[in-house]
C-alpha cells in the first residue's frame, strides 16, 4: 500500500470511529471539539513553474502533511516572476523561495525585512558542462576558456575566480538556454544547472562532463525558504509547521520519486506539457544537492550559521557585495529540526 493510500484509508476510518463512539455514548447530545485549531492560510511563492523542483512540497500538500499542521498552502507559480524576494517582502506571498544567497543579500540591502528559515539545496546545482574531452577539476582548468553564459552567470564566473584568489581570465560568450553552441565548437564550457541541461542531453545518449561551482570553491545555499520578519513573528507555529510538513513531503518524494513526479505532472503542473522521463531524471539529479551529512544530522532544509558567516559570506564578498545581512537576524536556524 502506498503512503497516499495508507493516509486515505486512515482518513476514511475516522468517520466510522466517530459513529462507533457516538453509539456508545450515554447521551444523544454532542459537544463540538473546542480545542480544534484554526487553519492558517499560507501563500507560497515558487521561483519557477510547477515542475519537478517542487515535487516534495506537492507531496506534502496532496498527502495531507500541511493539513496535519493545520495549514492550507497555496503555491504561486514563479515562471514569470522577476524577483520572488520582492513578492515576499511586498506581501504578495507569506513565504517562498529565493533562488540563491546573492539575490537574498541584494534584497535585504534594499531594506527588505526578510528571514531565511531553511534551504532546499544544501549546495547550489549551478555548474559547468563540457564535452567528454575536457575535464574541469580546479579553477586553473578554467583559465582562458570560452564559457557560454548570460549576464548573471558571467558575474558568478568572475566570482569563482576571485574567491579562489585569481583575476578572472576567461572569454565571455553570451548564449541562451540551449547548450547547442558547446556542440558546435563555439564555446569550451557552458554555464548550466546540473539538474537541468546536462540531464536532457544524457537522456538523449549524449555524454557530457559536469562540475559544480561548489566543487570549484564557490560555496552557496540555493532554494532558500524565506518569509518576512513580520509574518514569522506573528505566525511562528505556522512557519514551523510548514517546515515540518515540507520535510515529510520531501522525505516521501525522495523515497518514491516516480510517485512524486507522477503527482506533479498530473495535478500541479498538469497544464505545462512536461515530459515525465525528463522530470524524473532531473529530480533524481537534484537529490545529491538536497541531502548532505548536515541534513542527515539536522533535517532537510537545515542551515548552518557558521557556514553562512564563513565560506558563503566569503563568496558573497568576492562577488563585490559588502553590505551583507546580519547573520543573527536575517537567518533563523531554529525553525528546522531533525525529523
Amino acid at each position: 500500500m502506498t503512503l497516499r493510500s495508507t493516509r486515505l484509508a486512515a482518513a476514511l476510518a475516522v468517520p466510522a470511529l466517530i459513529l462507533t463512539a457516538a453509539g456508545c455514548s450515554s447521551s444523544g447530545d454532542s459537544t463540538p471539539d473546542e480545542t480544534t485549531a484554526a487553519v492558517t492560510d499560507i501563500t507560497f511563492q515558487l521561483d519557477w513553474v510547477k515542475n519537478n523542483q517542487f515535487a516534495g512540497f506537492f507531496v506534502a500538500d496532496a498527502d495531507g502533511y500541511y493539513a496535519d499542521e493545520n495549514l492550507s498552502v497555496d503555491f504561486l507559480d514563479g515562471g514569470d516572476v522577476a524577483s520572488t524576494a520582492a513578492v515576499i517582502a511586498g506581501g504578495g506571498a507569506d513565504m517562498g523561495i529565493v533562488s540563491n544567497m546573492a539575490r537574498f543579500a541584494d534584497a535585504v540591502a534594499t531594506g527588505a525585512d526578510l528571514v531565511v528559515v531553511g534551504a532546499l539545496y544544501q549546495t547550489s546545482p549551478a555548474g559547468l558542462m563540457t564535452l567528454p574531452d575536457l575535464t574541469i577539476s580546479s579553477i586553473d582548468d578554467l583559465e582562458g576558456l570560452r564559457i557560454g553564459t548570460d549576464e548573471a552567470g558571467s558575474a558568478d564566473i568572475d566570482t569563482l575566480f576571485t574567491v579562489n584568489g585569481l583575476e578572472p581570465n576567461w572569454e565571455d560568450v553570451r548564449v541562451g538556454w540551449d547548450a547547442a553552441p558547446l556542440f558546435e565548437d563555439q564555446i569550451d564550457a557552458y554555464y548550466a544547472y546540473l539538474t537541468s541541461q546536462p540531464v536532457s542531453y544524457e537522456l538523449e545518449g549524449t555524454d557530457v562532463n559536469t562540475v559544480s561551482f561548489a566543487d570549484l570553491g564557490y560555496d552557496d545555499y540555493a532554494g532558500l525558504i524565506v518569509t518576512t520578519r513580520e509574518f514569522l513573528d506573528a505566525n511562528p507555529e505556522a512557519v514551523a509547521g510548514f517546515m515540518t510538513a515540507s520535510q515529510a513531503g520531501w522525505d516521501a518524494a525522495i523515497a518514491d520519486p516516480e510517485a512524486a513526479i507522477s503527482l506533479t505532472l498530473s495535478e500541479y503542473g498538469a497544464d505545462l506539457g512536461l515530459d515525465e522521463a525528463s522530470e524524473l531524471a532531473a529530480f533524481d539529479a537534484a537529490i545529491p544537492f538536497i541531502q548532505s551529512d548536515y541534513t542527515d544530522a539536522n533535517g532537510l532544509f537545515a542551515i548552518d550559521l557558521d557556514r553562512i558567516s564563513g565560506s558563503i559570506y566569503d563568496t558573497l564578498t568576492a562577488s563585490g557585495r559588502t553590505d551583507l545581512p546580519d547573520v543573527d537576524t536575517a537567518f533563523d536556524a531554529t525553525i528546522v529540526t531533525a525529523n
Side-chain angles (χ1 to χ4, degrees), residues 279 290 310 336:
E279 290 296 298
I290 293 170
V336 170

Side-chain angles (χ1 to χ4, degrees), residues 134 136 141-147 169-172 188-189:
L134 175 59
I136 296 173
D141 296 326
L142 294 186
E143 299 246 32
L145 293 188
R146 301 167 299 167
I147 303 178
N169 178 19
W170 62 287
E171 183 180 342
D172 188 347
D188 304 302

Side-chain angles (χ1 to χ4, degrees), residues 12 40 131 139 141 187 273 311:
L12 292 174
T40 299
L131 296 181
I139 186 65
D141 296 326
I187 56 177
S311 58

Side-chain angles (χ1 to χ4, degrees), residues 118-276:
L120 175 59
Y121 297 105
Q122 292 296 297
T123 54
S124 171
L128 295 170
M129 181 170 73
T130 63
L131 296 181
D133 60 354
L134 175 59
T135 299
I136 296 173
S137 57
S138 74
I139 186 65
D140 295 333
D141 296 326
L142 294 186
E143 299 246 32
L145 293 188
R146 301 167 299 167
I147 303 178
T149 185
D150 56 13
E151 183 176 356
S154 177
D156 286 345
I157 296 168
D158 281 346
T159 298
L160 187 57
F161 277 88
T162 305
V163 80
N164 280 283
L166 299 174
E167 288 294 323
N169 178 19
W170 62 287
E171 183 180 342
D172 188 347
V173 181
R174 293 302 166 90
V175 297
W177 184 254
D178 189 347
L182 179 65
F183 301 91
E184 298 167 356
D185 196 30
Q186 298 175 21
I187 56 177
D188 304 302
Y190 178 78
Y191 182 106
Y193 286 96
L194 304 188
T195 57
S196 181
Q197 296 100 325
V199 174
S200 299
Y201 284 97
E202 289 166 350
L203 282 176
E204 296 172 356
T206 302
D207 292 332
V208 295
N209 289 335
T210 61
V211 61
S212 72
F213 273 31
D215 288 335
L216 298 176
Y218 186 121
D219 196 15
D220 198 9
Y221 281 119
L224 306 178
I225 312 300
V226 174
T227 186
T228 61
R229 171 60 58 187
E230 180 181 8
F231 187 80
L232 177 58
D233 288 347
N235 304 276
E237 292 184 0
V239 174
F242 177 87
M243 299 307 295
T244 296
S246 296
Q247 283 180 320
W250 276 96
D251 279 334
I254 290 170
D256 191 351
E258 290 186 1
I261 294 304
S262 178
L263 170 71
T264 299
L265 271 57
S266 63
E267 296 186 30
Y268 296 85
D271 59 344
L272 298 176
L274 300 172
D275 176 71
E276 186 166 2

Side-chain angles (χ1 to χ4, degrees), residues 47 83-85 96-108 114 116 118-121 123-126 152-153 156 191 193 213 218-226 312-313 315-316 319 321 325 331:
D47 65 342
S83 171
T84 57
I97 295 179
V98 174
S99 298
N100 54 49
M101 290 289 291
R103 292 189 177 187
F104 176 75
D106 290 345
V108 173
L114 299 174
V116 174
L120 175 59
Y121 297 105
T123 54
S124 171
D156 286 345
Y191 182 106
Y193 286 96
F213 273 31
Y218 186 121
D219 196 15
D220 198 9
Y221 281 119
L224 306 178
I225 312 300
V226 174
I312 290 179
Y313 268 24
T315 299
L316 289 173
S319 73
R321 293 172 172 83
F331 302 88

